[in-house]
Amino acid sequence: MSKLVGSFICLLIVAMDIMAGILGIEAEVAQNKVKQLRLFIFECKEPSSQAFKLGFAAATLLGLAHVIANLLGGCNCICSQEELEKASPSRQLSLACLFFTWIILAVGLSMLVIGTLSNHKSRASCGFSHPHFLSIGGVLCFVHGLFSVAYYISTTAIHSE
């Protein structure tokens, strides 16, 4: 029974991250459909409400997938370098995956938020271009899914030992 629940959680995390990635890439496509005037690194463009909605949905799904993976994966605390060196390889793998999920979340969510905010209705102005922030954030959602599932699997393997 627990294997079935674990499989469902892994599929849920992967599905949420894949949807977030697809929505981020679709937001980039929607953003590229609006009128733009570009001169070197400066651009003037109208905001895209479709890109804003898709980017917001992608950021929300990425955040939810991260919360689910971390809450259901459990706590995996190591307080010192000495404890880390004495830890089993599966515990070290779990910590490495946890570290990478947080880094990928920070970068991916930042990219999605910056790209989404550039499409807010009140942002119809000129400034520095934000090229491909939404699509890069979308791709990072896929990577987040891989590390989140690896974290969940390695953490649950530690707790079942």
Side-chain angles (χ1 to χ4, degrees):
M1 183 67 175
S2 66
K3 286 185 180 185
L4 184 64
V5 171
S7 298
F8 174 75
I9 291 170
C10 288
L11 285 174
L12 177 66
I13 293 167
V14 168
M16 290 176 78
D17 277 323
I18 287 174
M19 273 310 296
I22 291 171
L23 289 173
I25 293 168
E26 287 295 319
E28 181 80 28
V29 170
Q31 176 179 302
N32 290 336
K33 289 182 181 178
V34 298
K35 295 178 188 176
Q36 298 181 38
L37 175 63
R38 187 173 289 169
L39 179 64
F40 301 114
I41 61 171
F42 298 104
E43 75 176 347
C44 296
K45 68 174 186 159
E46 295 178 17
S48 168
S49 64
Q50 184 69 14
F52 179 80
K53 291 174 189 173
L54 292 170
F56 183 77
T60 302
L61 281 174
L62 176 61
L64 284 173
H66 187 76
V67 167
I68 289 171
N70 281 282
L71 284 180
L72 298 179
C75 183
N76 197 1
C77 298
I78 288 188
C79 299
S80 69
Q81 182 71 25
E82 193 175 301
E83 283 182 56
L84 180 61
E85 291 170 0
K86 291 180 182 178
S88 68
S90 58
R91 189 172 182 120
Q92 290 176 350
L93 174 66
S94 173
L95 286 170
C97 289
L98 177 65
F99 176 76
F100 285 123
T101 58
W102 277 100
I103 297 298
I104 294 166
L105 174 77
V107 174
L109 193 60
S110 297
M111 296 293 240
L112 288 170
V113 167
I114 291 169
T116 300
L117 288 179
S118 70
N119 286 294
H120 195 266
K121 289 179 184 177
S122 65
R123 297 272 180 164
S125 63
C126 299
F128 290 108
S129 64
H130 300 292
H132 312 296
F133 279 7
L134 290 167
S135 60
I136 293 170
V139 170
L140 287 174
C141 291
F142 299 130
V143 178
H144 181 268
L146 293 173
F147 280 102
S148 293
V149 168
Y151 168 69
Y152 178 79
I153 290 171
S154 61
T155 301
T156 53
I158 291 169
H159 294 299
S160 65
E161 289 178 350

